[in-house]
Amino acid sequence: MSLTLVAPLTEAPAAALAPREQEALRHIAAGCTYVQTARSMGLSKHTVDAYLRRIRAKLGINTTAEMTRLAISLGL
């Protein structure tokens, strides 16, 4: 069994995210649901879901916990 080490997060991930993706990430990390995030951003919950799927794909993360950790490390 091998262990995979995760590199510390830097400012690079923030640059990879569009401003609206960062905003959606900030809401989710704060504990908002997709519906609450959508209402706050004036979007549909499907658009929020699309933003979060793009964030996961761009940064290679899989869980909400990882997204929350990313948001905290980026100061979002």
Side-chain angles (χ1 to χ4, degrees):
M1 179 193 311
S2 66
L3 295 175
T4 303
L5 298 178
V6 177
L9 297 171
T10 64
E11 290 300 315
L17 300 179
R20 292 293 269 181
E21 291 170 342
Q22 290 182 31
E23 185 179 353
L25 178 58
R26 183 172 40 252
H27 286 287
I28 295 301
C32 295
T33 66
Y34 283 29
V35 172
Q36 291 168 331
T37 299
R39 284 186 188 139
S40 178
M41 295 177 67
L43 303 169
S44 76
K45 73 175 188 162
H46 301 289
T47 302
V48 170
D49 181 55
Y51 284 160
L52 297 174
R53 278 186 279 121
R54 281 192 297 213
I55 291 168
R56 288 183 181 105
K58 285 180 180 181
L59 303 179
I61 55 180
N62 298 309
T63 66
T64 301
E66 289 175 311
M67 282 197 301
T68 301
R69 188 180 68 165
L70 171 68
I72 291 167
S73 72
L74 295 174
L76 298 176

